[in-house]
């Protein structure tokens, strides 16, 4: 993969565009070394990033091909990527199916999330096939352009993590909405409820960048006051089991395929 040209099929979508923007901003690749394709023929990139209508032409001109299309769009995609490294961002499509459909030499499955937009995604990735140390480092660096990344030991980790980190803002959004709705039900005016819930989830969440959650909970419990009572109630209701079932439901869909 020396002198890499990266082709991103679906490079104008939510994930594809953010990744291409980030790797150009961070000079991992020059615009000349990036190709993107889509069906509509429209792109927000300048003329330096070549937009192709023909996916096979993109594959032929690239050393590494990223599949940033939706799983249902993959079913009708026809490419021959034999000898190439294909990196799939698709949830619920196995490396075996991608290799069978594309002839790729190596398939890497990666699972970024919507926070690519703010370069705060965590991206687990798994290589179903041999990658040498330089190529592994390059894949890692590619995803570090949009946040943090880690290689995981097996493909099932990708399916499980699709439902955990792959869901991006979904769990915090659900928590914020629940806090808002419950506050309104308790008689707090809507605008205040929204402000308070946002402060708790967005403001409070930012503290977790600097604090260990277990230590934070222990120190808040130690006051034996309002926060401790709220946390104890969640523990009594077995909040971990509720969350565990939610992630398991998502992971089951990823494992079953879409
Ligand atoms: N968004 C997330 O939070 C998230 C999180 C984890 C994983 N993923 C995975 O990432 C993948 C992409 O998601 P996304 O949210 O970025 O989707 P998206 O915004 O809908 O982007 C899909 C892109 O693919 C293009 N496209 C569709 N069919 C094509 C084809 N046959 N040839 C070339 N281009 C084609 C579309 O453009 P045209 O319509 O112009 O063709 C569009 O630019 C999905 O498989 C999803 O499972 C997404």
């Amino acid at each position: 993969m020396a002198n890499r040209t990266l082709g991103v099929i679906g490079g104008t979508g939510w994930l594809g565009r953010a990744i291409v923007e980030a790797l150009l901003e961070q000079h991992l690749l020059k615009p000349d070394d990036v190709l993107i394709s889509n069906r509509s023929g429209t792109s927000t990139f300048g003329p330096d990033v070549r937009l192709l209508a023909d996916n096979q032409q993109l594959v032929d001109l690239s050393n590494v091909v990223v599949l940033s299309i939706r799983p249902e769009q993959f079913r009708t995609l026809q490419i021959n990527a034999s000898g190439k490294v294909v990196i799939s961002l698709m949830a619920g499509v196995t490396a075996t199916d991608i290799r069978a459909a594309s002839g790729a030499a190596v398939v890497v499955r990666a699972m970024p999330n919507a926070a690519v937009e703010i370069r705060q995604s965590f991206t687990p990735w798994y290589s179903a096939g041999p990658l040498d140390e330089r190529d592994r480092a390059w894949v890692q660096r590619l995803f570090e352009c949009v946040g943090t990344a880690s290689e995981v030991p097996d493909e099932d980790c990708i399916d499980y993590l699709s439902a955990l980190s792959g869901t991006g803002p979904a769990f915090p959004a659900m928590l914020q909405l629940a806090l808002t709705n419950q506050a309104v039900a308790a008689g707090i005016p809507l605008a205040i409820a929204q402000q308070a819930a946002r402060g708790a989830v967005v403001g409070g969440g930012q503290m977790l960048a600097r604090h260990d959650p277990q230590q934070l909970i222990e120190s808040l419990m130690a006051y034996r006051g309002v926060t401790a009572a709220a946390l104890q109630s969640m523990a009594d209701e077995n909040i971990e089991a509720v969350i565990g079932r939610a992630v398991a439901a998502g992971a089951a869909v990823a494992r079953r395929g879409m």
Side-chain angles (χ1 to χ4, degrees):
M1 274 202 271
N3 298 323
R4 295 169 176 91
T5 298
L6 184 75
V8 184
I9 299 181
T12 53
W14 191 346
L15 287 194
R17 187 181 65 239
I19 290 170
V20 170
E21 280 172 358
L23 62 88
L24 293 175
E25 265 166 31
Q26 293 169 42
H27 308 290
L28 187 64
L29 290 172
K30 299 191 297 298
D32 285 355
D33 298 326
V34 181
L35 301 164
I36 56 175
S37 69
N38 68 11
R39 298 162 304 176
S40 60
T42 55
S43 157
T44 52
F45 291 103
D48 288 350
V49 176
R50 216 170 135 200
L51 172 67
L52 298 170
D54 181 343
N55 289 321
Q56 188 58 50
Q57 189 188 3
L58 174 142
V59 170
D60 293 342
L61 293 170
S62 307
N63 320 90
V64 183
V65 175
V66 173
L67 293 177
S68 191
I69 56 177
R70 298 184 185 199
E72 65 272 20
Q73 295 161 338
F74 175 70
R75 282 189 221 120
T76 52
L77 184 78
Q78 291 194 325
I79 51 166
N80 177 352
S82 57
K84 315 267 175 176
V85 173
V86 168
I87 302 176
S88 165
L89 310 184
M90 297 181 292
V93 185
T94 64
T96 303
D97 285 351
I98 296 164
R99 195 181 299 110
S102 68
V106 176
V107 174
V108 173
R109 281 190 64 196
M111 194 48 54
N113 65 47
V116 290
E117 210 176 276
I118 54 165
R119 316 293 186 252
Q120 294 279 341
S121 170
F122 165 62
T123 306
W125 59 274
Y126 169 73
S127 179
L131 276 186
D132 65 27
E133 280 312 308
R134 277 185 64 190
D135 290 344
R136 294 179 119 76
W138 191 83
V139 171
Q140 173 71 13
R141 179 76 189 89
L142 176 78
F143 291 112
E144 283 176 351
C145 282
V146 285
T148 58
S150 276
E151 185 174 7
V152 295
D154 59 59
E155 190 170 355
D156 189 61
C157 286
I158 296 294
D159 290 328
Y160 185 84
L161 294 171
S162 299
L164 197 169
S165 48
T167 56
F171 288 112
M174 189 77 135
L175 176 61
Q176 189 172 331
L177 205 55
L179 289 169
T180 304
N181 292 342
Q182 290 299 309
V184 170
I188 306 291
L190 175 64
I192 301 294
Q194 286 171 329
Q195 220 177 350
R198 186 180 154 77
V201 175
V202 182
Q206 284 172 26
M207 285 189 70
L208 293 171
R210 295 200 214 151
H211 294 273
D212 174 70
Q214 183 68 40
Q215 280 176 4
L216 205 55
I217 284 175
E218 280 166 13
S219 54
L220 291 167
M221 289 294 277
Y223 283 87
R224 298 177 189 283
V226 175
T227 311
L231 290 174
Q232 189 58 54
S233 169
M234 281 199 279
D236 292 345
E237 297 285 340
N238 207 348
I239 180 84
E240 279 199 15
V242 173
I243 291 168
R245 284 195 294 277
V247 179
V253 171
R255 289 183 183 121
R256 191 168 65 231
M258 280 177 279

